[in-house]
Amino acid sequence: MDIQQSDVLSIDLEDAIVAPGLIDMHTHIYPLCGMTEDTLPMIDGEAHMFQNGVTTAVDAGSCGCKDFFDFKNRFIDKSKLRILAFINIAHGGMVSLASELEPDNFYVEIAAAIAKEVPEVVGVKTAHYHVGKPFDQEHPAWASVDAAVKAGEIAGKPVMADVQPYLPGRPYEELVLERLRPGDIHTHVYAQQFHILDENNKMKQFMLDARARGTIFDLGHGAGSFWFRNAIPAYEQGFYPDTLSTDLYLHNVNGPAFGLLNIMSKYLNIGMPIEEVLYRTTARPAEVIGHTELGKLEVGMEADIAVLKLHEGKFGFADSGNARMDGKYKLECILTVRNGELVYNPMAYGMPDWKNAPESYHIAPGVIQL
Ligand SMILES: [Zn+2]
């Protein structure tokens, strides 16, 4: 394609960070349980993502096969935001949470077929499976994880597992060392219920073994899944989350998750270098979901770009236990480009000064003739 001089927008971005469009590995774009269509306008997932420099949002199992094509037709296919998805192994997904509690609802073959055939599906999700009583033959402890892994095997795609709550008969060690395959993901790794540290705050050996065998650890902040008391000692011992993500939905968008930049800012203040923070929100999630064409800036690819400003000052950050961390760094998005289009431009880049705007700008419209 020939690029005309008039098509080229030149912007002075001195002191800004020009990054590939960010990837939020764990979001909920499709309306979840209790969020009817009437409540949808309260959070516009696309706008929120663009304001955070996110150009690719991965929906983590909001829909099972029952609602997946509604999701695709109304959101995935119509959005400027690139939406990818893990399909929920439970046919009703998180739209009707009861669906995730009953093994009869785990439609392995159908979930696998959708995961295999629909290009936007990056894997299979399982979450929230528990039965409120000891596991038994009808409700085996690992029913949902095993079903998701089976579907993942058929589709040749990874599984993302959320195994809350932590129940007897379903040890976390077994999940990350045996049940998940290398390349599968445990999300919410720093939630309060995972005993990843010993009594001296030392990282437990099984976590290091799990990482060595290829289990992926996603942050998945959410309302209740990020605790400084787990994340910071882990970081200080060199155990970084593979991917930083929000688990964003209606009930955490005003805290404590807020958005991907808030979580990236938390890690800057914990001590992670900016290059590492960006790696875990661009190239690393792209690898994990098998889309290595994303998360980088290269000639010939769709122009997805996040321009970020790093502020220094006095800031505070909350975790899921309502504990605070003081910090001096905070990231702000000052421009988001999705496929070459300026989709979030709060600094008005590329616009003329109003005094020099074209003649048409200065002409007041006439009275409308009805
Ligand atoms: Zn989630």
mmCIF file of all heavy atoms in Angstrom, residues 275-321:
data_model
loop_
_atom_site.group_PDB
_atom_site.id
_atom_site.type_symbol
_atom_site.label_atom_id
_atom_site.label_comp_id
_atom_site.label_asym_id
_atom_site.label_seq_id
_atom_site.Cartn_x
_atom_site.Cartn_y
_atom_site.Cartn_z
ATOM 1 N N GLU A 275 10.549 -2.679 31.709
ATOM 2 C CA GLU A 275 10.649 -3.618 30.582
ATOM 3 C C GLU A 275 9.955 -4.939 30.930
ATOM 4 O O GLU A 275 9.303 -5.553 30.075
ATOM 5 C CB GLU A 275 12.122 -3.918 30.236
ATOM 6 C CG GLU A 275 12.922 -2.732 29.739
ATOM 7 C CD GLU A 275 13.430 -1.827 30.864
ATOM 8 O OE1 GLU A 275 13.226 -2.178 32.050
ATOM 9 O OE2 GLU A 275 14.001 -0.776 30.557
ATOM 10 N N GLU A 276 10.103 -5.378 32.168
ATOM 11 C CA GLU A 276 9.472 -6.626 32.617
ATOM 12 C C GLU A 276 7.948 -6.463 32.706
ATOM 13 O O GLU A 276 7.192 -7.363 32.356
ATOM 14 C CB GLU A 276 10.021 -7.032 33.993
ATOM 15 C CG GLU A 276 11.417 -7.584 33.960
ATOM 16 C CD GLU A 276 11.449 -8.994 33.368
ATOM 17 O OE1 GLU A 276 10.440 -9.706 33.450
ATOM 18 O OE2 GLU A 276 12.489 -9.362 32.799
ATOM 19 N N VAL A 277 7.529 -5.304 33.209
ATOM 20 C CA VAL A 277 6.094 -5.028 33.316
ATOM 21 C C VAL A 277 5.459 -5.072 31.922
ATOM 22 O O VAL A 277 4.390 -5.668 31.723
ATOM 23 C CB VAL A 277 5.867 -3.653 33.994
ATOM 24 C CG1 VAL A 277 4.408 -3.232 33.894
ATOM 25 C CG2 VAL A 277 6.308 -3.703 35.458
ATOM 26 N N LEU A 278 6.133 -4.466 30.962
ATOM 27 C CA LEU A 278 5.599 -4.443 29.589
ATOM 28 C C LEU A 278 5.646 -5.833 28.956
ATOM 29 O O LEU A 278 4.719 -6.235 28.250
ATOM 30 C CB LEU A 278 6.375 -3.441 28.732
ATOM 31 C CG LEU A 278 6.109 -1.974 29.078
ATOM 32 C CD1 LEU A 278 7.090 -1.060 28.349
ATOM 33 C CD2 LEU A 278 4.672 -1.584 28.734
ATOM 34 N N TYR A 279 6.713 -6.580 29.220
ATOM 35 C CA TYR A 279 6.823 -7.939 28.676
ATOM 36 C C TYR A 279 5.634 -8.792 29.130
ATOM 37 O O TYR A 279 5.062 -9.552 28.354
ATOM 38 C CB TYR A 279 8.146 -8.557 29.149
ATOM 39 C CG TYR A 279 8.309 -10.029 28.867
ATOM 40 C CD1 TYR A 279 8.295 -10.504 27.555
ATOM 41 C CD2 TYR A 279 8.488 -10.936 29.911
ATOM 42 C CE1 TYR A 279 8.446 -11.867 27.295
ATOM 43 C CE2 TYR A 279 8.638 -12.290 29.664
ATOM 44 C CZ TYR A 279 8.611 -12.747 28.353
ATOM 45 O OH TYR A 279 8.759 -14.092 28.114
ATOM 46 N N ARG A 280 5.250 -8.608 30.392
ATOM 47 C CA ARG A 280 4.182 -9.451 30.965
ATOM 48 C C ARG A 280 2.786 -8.944 30.618
ATOM 49 O O ARG A 280 1.786 -9.508 31.072
ATOM 50 C CB ARG A 280 4.388 -9.552 32.493
ATOM 51 C CG ARG A 280 5.531 -10.505 32.799
ATOM 52 C CD ARG A 280 6.233 -10.241 34.113
ATOM 53 N NE ARG A 280 7.647 -10.566 33.985
ATOM 54 C CZ ARG A 280 8.128 -11.813 33.949
ATOM 55 N NH1 ARG A 280 7.332 -12.833 34.101
ATOM 56 N NH2 ARG A 280 9.419 -12.025 33.775
ATOM 57 N N THR A 281 2.721 -7.871 29.821
ATOM 58 C CA THR A 281 1.437 -7.384 29.329
ATOM 59 C C THR A 281 1.429 -7.275 27.793
ATOM 60 O O THR A 281 0.506 -6.693 27.222
ATOM 61 C CB THR A 281 1.112 -5.994 29.932
ATOM 62 O OG1 THR A 281 2.284 -5.165 29.837
ATOM 63 C CG2 THR A 281 0.704 -6.104 31.392
ATOM 64 N N THR A 282 2.477 -7.821 27.159
ATOM 65 C CA THR A 282 2.527 -7.796 25.681
ATOM 66 C C THR A 282 3.010 -9.162 25.151
ATOM 67 O O THR A 282 2.205 -10.041 24.902
ATOM 68 C CB THR A 282 3.442 -6.654 25.165
ATOM 69 O OG1 THR A 282 4.753 -6.801 25.742
ATOM 70 C CG2 THR A 282 2.890 -5.294 25.510
ATOM 71 N N ALA A 283 4.326 -9.316 25.038
ATOM 72 C CA ALA A 283 4.870 -10.519 24.388
ATOM 73 C C ALA A 283 4.574 -11.802 25.163
ATOM 74 O O ALA A 283 4.295 -12.850 24.563
ATOM 75 C CB ALA A 283 6.388 -10.364 24.205
ATOM 76 N N ARG A 284 4.624 -11.746 26.492
ATOM 77 C CA ARG A 284 4.407 -12.980 27.277
ATOM 78 C C ARG A 284 2.963 -13.488 27.150
ATOM 79 O O ARG A 284 2.770 -14.671 26.832
ATOM 80 C CB ARG A 284 4.807 -12.743 28.744
ATOM 81 C CG ARG A 284 4.752 -13.990 29.601
ATOM 82 C CD ARG A 284 5.745 -15.041 29.128
ATOM 83 N NE ARG A 284 5.730 -16.224 29.954
ATOM 84 C CZ ARG A 284 5.803 -17.479 29.489
ATOM 85 N NH1 ARG A 284 5.913 -17.700 28.185
ATOM 86 N NH2 ARG A 284 5.807 -18.506 30.307
ATOM 87 N N PRO A 285 1.945 -12.639 27.383
ATOM 88 C CA PRO A 285 0.588 -13.168 27.157
ATOM 89 C C PRO A 285 0.368 -13.623 25.713
ATOM 90 O O PRO A 285 -0.348 -14.608 25.478
ATOM 91 C CB PRO A 285 -0.343 -12.009 27.540
ATOM 92 C CG PRO A 285 0.521 -10.808 27.679
ATOM 93 C CD PRO A 285 1.891 -11.294 27.983
ATOM 94 N N ALA A 286 0.989 -12.935 24.749
ATOM 95 C CA ALA A 286 0.842 -13.353 23.353
ATOM 96 C C ALA A 286 1.348 -14.784 23.166
ATOM 97 O O ALA A 286 0.715 -15.608 22.486
ATOM 98 C CB ALA A 286 1.601 -12.390 22.437
ATOM 99 N N GLU A 287 2.489 -15.087 23.800
ATOM 100 C CA GLU A 287 3.044 -16.458 23.733
ATOM 101 C C GLU A 287 2.095 -17.457 24.389
ATOM 102 O O GLU A 287 1.831 -18.528 23.848
ATOM 103 C CB GLU A 287 4.338 -16.521 24.552
ATOM 104 C CG GLU A 287 5.614 -16.260 23.820
ATOM 105 C CD GLU A 287 6.773 -16.115 24.827
ATOM 106 O OE1 GLU A 287 6.684 -16.577 25.996
ATOM 107 O OE2 GLU A 287 7.752 -15.513 24.415
ATOM 108 N N VAL A 288 1.602 -17.092 25.572
ATOM 109 C CA VAL A 288 0.790 -18.025 26.361
ATOM 110 C C VAL A 288 -0.482 -18.410 25.602
ATOM 111 O O VAL A 288 -0.928 -19.555 25.648
ATOM 112 C CB VAL A 288 0.456 -17.409 27.743
ATOM 113 C CG1 VAL A 288 -0.573 -18.235 28.480
ATOM 114 C CG2 VAL A 288 1.730 -17.265 28.575
ATOM 115 N N ILE A 289 -1.082 -17.446 24.893
ATOM 116 C CA ILE A 289 -2.331 -17.735 24.166
ATOM 117 C C ILE A 289 -2.071 -18.151 22.725
ATOM 118 O O ILE A 289 -3.014 -18.309 21.938
ATOM 119 C CB ILE A 289 -3.308 -16.536 24.199
ATOM 120 C CG1 ILE A 289 -2.662 -15.281 23.595
ATOM 121 C CG2 ILE A 289 -3.796 -16.292 25.635
ATOM 122 C CD1 ILE A 289 -3.627 -14.098 23.453
ATOM 123 N N GLY A 290 -0.802 -18.336 22.372
ATOM 124 C CA GLY A 290 -0.488 -18.835 21.030
ATOM 125 C C GLY A 290 -0.717 -17.827 19.924
ATOM 126 O O GLY A 290 -1.018 -18.191 18.789
ATOM 127 N N HIS A 291 -0.604 -16.537 20.250
ATOM 128 C CA HIS A 291 -0.763 -15.483 19.239
ATOM 129 C C HIS A 291 0.497 -14.625 19.213
ATOM 130 O O HIS A 291 0.471 -13.436 19.544
ATOM 131 C CB HIS A 291 -1.987 -14.616 19.548
ATOM 132 C CG HIS A 291 -3.267 -15.212 19.070
ATOM 133 N ND1 HIS A 291 -3.817 -14.918 17.838
ATOM 134 C CD2 HIS A 291 -4.100 -16.127 19.647
ATOM 135 C CE1 HIS A 291 -4.945 -15.610 17.685
ATOM 136 N NE2 HIS A 291 -5.138 -16.352 18.769
ATOM 137 N N THR A 292 1.594 -15.222 18.774
ATOM 138 C CA THR A 292 2.868 -14.498 18.837
ATOM 139 C C THR A 292 2.959 -13.373 17.800
ATOM 140 O O THR A 292 3.942 -12.637 17.787
ATOM 141 C CB THR A 292 4.050 -15.476 18.663
ATOM 142 O OG1 THR A 292 3.797 -16.291 17.521
ATOM 143 C CG2 THR A 292 4.213 -16.357 19.881
ATOM 144 N N GLU A 293 1.920 -13.268 16.952
ATOM 145 C CA GLU A 293 1.901 -12.110 16.044
ATOM 146 C C GLU A 293 1.508 -10.844 16.803
ATOM 147 O O GLU A 293 1.673 -9.738 16.294
ATOM 148 C CB GLU A 293 0.943 -12.363 14.860
ATOM 149 C CG GLU A 293 -0.550 -12.184 15.158
ATOM 150 C CD GLU A 293 -1.183 -13.378 15.897
ATOM 151 O OE1 GLU A 293 -0.440 -14.275 16.343
ATOM 152 O OE2 GLU A 293 -2.422 -13.400 16.030
ATOM 153 N N LEU A 294 0.971 -10.998 18.025
ATOM 154 C CA LEU A 294 0.559 -9.846 18.835
ATOM 155 C C LEU A 294 1.658 -9.494 19.835
ATOM 156 O O LEU A 294 2.615 -10.234 20.019
ATOM 157 C CB LEU A 294 -0.733 -10.177 19.597
ATOM 158 C CG LEU A 294 -1.927 -10.612 18.753
ATOM 159 C CD1 LEU A 294 -3.108 -10.955 19.653
ATOM 160 C CD2 LEU A 294 -2.312 -9.522 17.764
ATOM 161 N N GLY A 295 1.475 -8.355 20.479
ATOM 162 C CA GLY A 295 2.356 -7.984 21.585
ATOM 163 C C GLY A 295 3.718 -7.502 21.161
ATOM 164 O O GLY A 295 4.672 -7.533 21.940
ATOM 165 N N LYS A 296 3.845 -7.067 19.909
ATOM 166 C CA LYS A 296 5.128 -6.510 19.461
ATOM 167 C C LYS A 296 4.860 -5.460 18.391
ATOM 168 O O LYS A 296 3.766 -5.415 17.821
ATOM 169 C CB LYS A 296 6.032 -7.621 18.932
ATOM 170 C CG LYS A 296 5.426 -8.432 17.815
ATOM 171 C CD LYS A 296 6.281 -9.659 17.499
ATOM 172 C CE LYS A 296 5.618 -10.518 16.437
ATOM 173 N NZ LYS A 296 6.327 -11.768 16.187
ATOM 174 N N LEU A 297 5.858 -4.645 18.127
ATOM 175 C CA LEU A 297 5.746 -3.614 17.096
ATOM 176 C C LEU A 297 6.634 -4.019 15.932
ATOM 177 O O LEU A 297 7.857 -4.063 16.077
ATOM 178 C CB LEU A 297 6.201 -2.257 17.644
ATOM 179 C CG LEU A 297 5.293 -1.604 18.683
ATOM 180 C CD1 LEU A 297 5.957 -0.355 19.256
ATOM 181 C CD2 LEU A 297 3.936 -1.250 18.090
ATOM 182 N N GLU A 298 5.998 -4.356 14.812
ATOM 183 C CA GLU A 298 6.776 -4.768 13.642
ATOM 184 C C GLU A 298 6.119 -4.246 12.386
ATOM 185 O O GLU A 298 4.886 -4.155 12.319
ATOM 186 C CB GLU A 298 6.844 -6.304 13.572
ATOM 187 C CG GLU A 298 8.070 -6.878 14.239
ATOM 188 C CD GLU A 298 8.124 -8.404 14.181
ATOM 189 O OE1 GLU A 298 7.416 -9.001 13.355
ATOM 190 O OE2 GLU A 298 8.872 -8.968 14.991
ATOM 191 N N VAL A 299 6.942 -3.964 11.387
ATOM 192 C CA VAL A 299 6.410 -3.529 10.102
ATOM 193 C C VAL A 299 5.544 -4.641 9.522
ATOM 194 O O VAL A 299 5.901 -5.820 9.590
ATOM 195 C CB VAL A 299 7.570 -3.194 9.124
ATOM 196 C CG1 VAL A 299 7.035 -2.884 7.720
ATOM 197 C CG2 VAL A 299 8.373 -2.022 9.657
ATOM 198 N N GLY A 300 4.366 -4.273 9.005
ATOM 199 C CA GLY A 300 3.511 -5.257 8.332
ATOM 200 C C GLY A 300 2.395 -5.783 9.198
ATOM 201 O O GLY A 300 1.495 -6.454 8.709
ATOM 202 N N MET A 301 2.440 -5.508 10.506
ATOM 203 C CA MET A 301 1.358 -6.003 11.351
ATOM 204 C C MET A 301 0.360 -4.879 11.645
ATOM 205 O O MET A 301 0.622 -3.721 11.357
ATOM 206 C CB MET A 301 1.910 -6.590 12.647
ATOM 207 C CG MET A 301 2.796 -5.677 13.437
ATOM 208 S SD MET A 301 3.609 -6.541 14.788
ATOM 209 C CE MET A 301 2.213 -6.939 15.815
ATOM 210 N N GLU A 302 -0.812 -5.259 12.160
ATOM 211 C CA GLU A 302 -1.799 -4.248 12.531
ATOM 212 C C GLU A 302 -1.168 -3.303 13.548
ATOM 213 O O GLU A 302 -0.535 -3.755 14.510
ATOM 214 C CB GLU A 302 -3.042 -4.919 13.139
ATOM 215 C CG GLU A 302 -3.893 -5.623 12.109
ATOM 216 C CD GLU A 302 -5.198 -6.163 12.701
ATOM 217 O OE1 GLU A 302 -5.558 -5.802 13.831
ATOM 218 O OE2 GLU A 302 -5.849 -6.947 11.993
ATOM 219 N N ALA A 303 -1.366 -1.993 13.324
ATOM 220 C CA ALA A 303 -0.737 -1.001 14.211
ATOM 221 C C ALA A 303 -1.550 -0.873 15.494
ATOM 222 O O ALA A 303 -2.501 -0.103 15.573
ATOM 223 C CB ALA A 303 -0.625 0.340 13.495
ATOM 224 N N ASP A 304 -1.196 -1.677 16.481
ATOM 225 C CA ASP A 304 -1.776 -1.586 17.827
ATOM 226 C C ASP A 304 -0.692 -1.004 18.731
ATOM 227 O O ASP A 304 0.355 -1.645 18.939
ATOM 228 C CB ASP A 304 -2.165 -2.977 18.354
ATOM 229 C CG ASP A 304 -3.363 -3.562 17.637
ATOM 230 O OD1 ASP A 304 -3.942 -2.879 16.779
ATOM 231 O OD2 ASP A 304 -3.732 -4.710 17.957
ATOM 232 N N ILE A 305 -0.946 0.171 19.251
ATOM 233 C CA ILE A 305 0.103 0.885 19.994
ATOM 234 C C ILE A 305 -0.480 1.500 21.267
ATOM 235 O O ILE A 305 -1.604 2.024 21.252
ATOM 236 C CB ILE A 305 0.715 2.020 19.119
ATOM 237 C CG1 ILE A 305 1.294 1.435 17.827
ATOM 238 C CG2 ILE A 305 1.781 2.797 19.880
ATOM 239 C CD1 ILE A 305 1.639 2.469 16.780
ATOM 240 N N ALA A 306 0.283 1.410 22.350
ATOM 241 C CA ALA A 306 -0.084 2.101 23.590
ATOM 242 C C ALA A 306 1.032 3.086 23.912
ATOM 243 O O ALA A 306 2.199 2.698 23.956
ATOM 244 C CB ALA A 306 -0.240 1.098 24.727
ATOM 245 N N VAL A 307 0.685 4.334 24.087
ATOM 246 C CA VAL A 307 1.669 5.334 24.486
ATOM 247 C C VAL A 307 1.396 5.686 25.951
ATOM 248 O O VAL A 307 0.282 6.100 26.305
ATOM 249 C CB VAL A 307 1.604 6.592 23.598
ATOM 250 C CG1 VAL A 307 2.680 7.587 24.028
ATOM 251 C CG2 VAL A 307 1.772 6.213 22.136
ATOM 252 N N LEU A 308 2.408 5.474 26.786
ATOM 253 C CA LEU A 308 2.223 5.590 28.233
ATOM 254 C C LEU A 308 3.140 6.668 28.799
ATOM 255 O O LEU A 308 4.249 6.893 28.297
ATOM 256 C CB LEU A 308 2.544 4.256 28.913
ATOM 257 C CG LEU A 308 1.842 3.016 28.346
ATOM 258 C CD1 LEU A 308 2.325 1.762 29.065
ATOM 259 C CD2 LEU A 308 0.330 3.141 28.452
ATOM 260 N N LYS A 309 2.662 7.284 29.832
ATOM 261 C CA LYS A 309 3.455 8.275 30.556
ATOM 262 C C LYS A 309 3.714 7.715 31.955
ATOM 263 O O LYS A 309 2.794 7.206 32.605
ATOM 264 C CB LYS A 309 2.635 9.564 30.668
ATOM 265 C CG LYS A 309 3.451 10.778 30.938
ATOM 266 C CD LYS A 309 3.812 11.487 29.640
ATOM 267 C CE LYS A 309 4.625 12.738 29.934
ATOM 268 N NZ LYS A 309 5.214 13.282 28.727
ATOM 269 N N LEU A 310 4.957 7.787 32.408
ATOM 270 C CA LEU A 310 5.291 7.319 33.757
ATOM 271 C C LEU A 310 5.421 8.539 34.670
ATOM 272 O O LEU A 310 6.318 9.359 34.499
ATOM 273 C CB LEU A 310 6.601 6.524 33.721
ATOM 274 C CG LEU A 310 7.090 5.982 35.062
ATOM 275 C CD1 LEU A 310 6.046 5.092 35.717
ATOM 276 C CD2 LEU A 310 8.394 5.211 34.884
ATOM 277 N N HIS A 311 4.500 8.660 35.613
ATOM 278 C CA HIS A 311 4.511 9.800 36.540
ATOM 279 C C HIS A 311 5.227 9.424 37.828
ATOM 280 O O HIS A 311 5.131 8.286 38.294
ATOM 281 C CB HIS A 311 3.076 10.218 36.881
ATOM 282 C CG HIS A 311 2.302 10.697 35.700
ATOM 283 N ND1 HIS A 311 2.558 11.893 35.074
ATOM 284 C CD2 HIS A 311 1.274 10.130 35.003
ATOM 285 C CE1 HIS A 311 1.721 12.053 34.061
ATOM 286 N NE2 HIS A 311 0.937 10.989 33.988
ATOM 287 N N GLU A 312 5.905 10.385 38.390
ATOM 288 C CA GLU A 312 6.489 10.205 39.725
ATOM 289 C C GLU A 312 5.801 11.139 40.701
ATOM 290 O O GLU A 312 5.540 12.303 40.383
ATOM 291 C CB GLU A 312 7.983 10.524 39.692
ATOM 292 C CG GLU A 312 8.816 9.315 39.297
ATOM 293 C CD GLU A 312 10.294 9.501 39.631
ATOM 294 O OE1 GLU A 312 10.615 9.660 40.840
ATOM 295 O OE2 GLU A 312 11.086 9.491 38.687
ATOM 296 N N GLY A 313 5.458 10.633 41.867
ATOM 297 C CA GLY A 313 4.761 11.446 42.864
ATOM 298 C C GLY A 313 4.458 10.586 44.077
ATOM 299 O O GLY A 313 5.161 9.602 44.343
ATOM 300 N N LYS A 314 3.395 10.921 44.772
ATOM 301 C CA LYS A 314 2.989 10.119 45.935
ATOM 302 C C LYS A 314 1.665 9.468 45.603
ATOM 303 O O LYS A 314 0.660 10.165 45.407
ATOM 304 C CB LYS A 314 2.836 11.018 47.172
ATOM 305 C CG LYS A 314 4.158 11.395 47.814
ATOM 306 C CD LYS A 314 3.959 12.370 48.959
ATOM 307 C CE LYS A 314 3.816 11.639 50.279
ATOM 308 N NZ LYS A 314 3.860 12.569 51.431
ATOM 309 N N PHE A 315 1.674 8.153 45.527
ATOM 310 C CA PHE A 315 0.464 7.424 45.136
ATOM 311 C C PHE A 315 0.192 6.304 46.131
ATOM 312 O O PHE A 315 1.098 5.849 46.846
ATOM 313 C CB PHE A 315 0.624 6.835 43.729
ATOM 314 C CG PHE A 315 0.988 7.852 42.682
ATOM 315 C CD1 PHE A 315 2.269 7.893 42.150
ATOM 316 C CD2 PHE A 315 0.057 8.780 42.249
ATOM 317 C CE1 PHE A 315 2.619 8.840 41.195
ATOM 318 C CE2 PHE A 315 0.388 9.739 41.298
ATOM 319 C CZ PHE A 315 1.671 9.765 40.768
ATOM 320 N N GLY A 316 -1.051 5.839 46.168
ATOM 321 C CA GLY A 316 -1.423 4.711 47.014
ATOM 322 C C GLY A 316 -2.110 3.647 46.184
ATOM 323 O O GLY A 316 -2.766 3.950 45.181
ATOM 324 N N PHE A 317 -1.942 2.405 46.593
ATOM 325 C CA PHE A 317 -2.514 1.276 45.856
ATOM 326 C C PHE A 317 -3.144 0.291 46.838
ATOM 327 O O PHE A 317 -2.551 -0.002 47.880
ATOM 328 C CB PHE A 317 -1.425 0.569 45.037
ATOM 329 C CG PHE A 317 -0.768 1.465 44.032
ATOM 330 C CD1 PHE A 317 0.363 2.211 44.368
ATOM 331 C CD2 PHE A 317 -1.306 1.600 42.764
ATOM 332 C CE1 PHE A 317 0.954 3.072 43.453
ATOM 333 C CE2 PHE A 317 -0.721 2.454 41.828
ATOM 334 C CZ PHE A 317 0.418 3.180 42.178
ATOM 335 N N ALA A 318 -4.317 -0.239 46.459
ATOM 336 C CA ALA A 318 -5.039 -1.168 47.338
ATOM 337 C C ALA A 318 -4.952 -2.585 46.792
ATOM 338 O O ALA A 318 -4.901 -2.792 45.579
ATOM 339 C CB ALA A 318 -6.506 -0.759 47.421
ATOM 340 N N ASP A 319 -4.957 -3.554 47.707
ATOM 341 C CA ASP A 319 -5.082 -4.942 47.259
ATOM 342 C C ASP A 319 -6.474 -5.455 47.604
ATOM 343 O O ASP A 319 -7.359 -4.697 48.039
ATOM 344 C CB ASP A 319 -3.940 -5.823 47.794
ATOM 345 C CG ASP A 319 -4.049 -6.149 49.280
ATOM 346 O OD1 ASP A 319 -5.031 -5.738 49.928
ATOM 347 O OD2 ASP A 319 -3.143 -6.842 49.796
ATOM 348 N N SER A 320 -6.690 -6.738 47.447
ATOM 349 C CA SER A 320 -8.026 -7.301 47.641
ATOM 350 C C SER A 320 -8.394 -7.452 49.108
ATOM 351 O O SER A 320 -9.561 -7.687 49.435
ATOM 352 C CB SER A 320 -8.121 -8.664 46.945
ATOM 353 O OG SER A 320 -7.915 -8.507 45.570
ATOM 354 N N GLY A 321 -7.413 -7.322 49.991
ATOM 355 C CA GLY A 321 -7.697 -7.402 51.420
ATOM 356 C C GLY A 321 -7.843 -6.026 52.047
ATOM 357 O O GLY A 321 -7.759 -5.895 53.270
#
